[in-house]
Amino acid sequence: MKILLSTNKLLLCLLITMVFSGLDLKAQDKGMQFFEGTWQEVLDEASLQDKFIFVDCYTTWCGPCKKMAREVFPDAEVGDFFNDRFINFKLDMEKGEGPTMRSEWGVNAYPTMIFFNPSGEETHRIKGYKKSDKFLAEARKGLLDMEQVAELKTRYEEGERSPEFLYEYANNLQMSGSSKGEQVFNEYLETQSPEDLSLPQNMELIFN
């Protein structure tokens, strides 16, 4: 009888452990899922899935980085938004590829969270700790910028070259920090007469 009771207790403990483990896994699944691999593998995966890229640039000693990882990235709403639209990637700026990418991306504060298009061109970045609602608001703005640039890129590749279009595309590329901005900017300037270059909108674009 005692053996039977002990067995029942053991089974009950195992059942409780399985239930809570399952709850734990479900809770983890609700937050952001981060890709494991190298930066090149991230680019390959983004190209394969035709998704944008989100990179959390952090260090192990950074308090706000730990707070983002603890309070914001596990948030269910944040996870739903990012997992559907991005390949999410965490990169320690002091280990492995980190120092190289830190120099290439010009990261000088932590956390810095960078958005890239599927080709690996930066389009938006967020610096510092943000609560979930503020983080999502900035992320949605970043996604809108990326989608707008992607639409303009398609029109450009299809041969559209009107001055109005080139101006809009050059301006968007400049704001996103894309290296392609200079090429489109020069194409736009070729559509303008010397007199037109002094127009306020052209002066603003030139100075930018």
Side-chain angles (χ1 to χ4, degrees), residues 9 11 37 47 50 53 64 83-84 92-93 100 107 122 130 132-133 136 138 148 150 163 188-189:
K9 285 181 180 179
L11 289 172
S47 177
D50 192 27
I53 302 167
N83 296 336
D84 286 346
D92 186 334
M93 292 286 100
T100 299
V107 175
E122 180 181 338
K130 298 286 184 293
S132 294
D133 55 346
L136 274 174
E138 289 205 37
Q148 187 174 11
Y188 171 71
L189 289 185

Side-chain angles (χ1 to χ4, degrees), residues 188 192 194-206:
Y188 171 71
Q192 302 296 292
E195 294 78 18
D196 289 338
L197 293 179
S198 61
L199 292 172
Q201 67 174 22
N202 285 340
M203 293 299 292
E204 182 180 1
L205 184 61
I206 290 167

Side-chain angles (χ1 to χ4, degrees), residues 163-175:
E164 295 78 16
F165 167 75
L166 289 172
Y167 177 87
E168 182 182 7
Y169 191 24
N171 202 40
N172 273 269
L173 289 172
Q174 180 272 321
M175 288 190 292

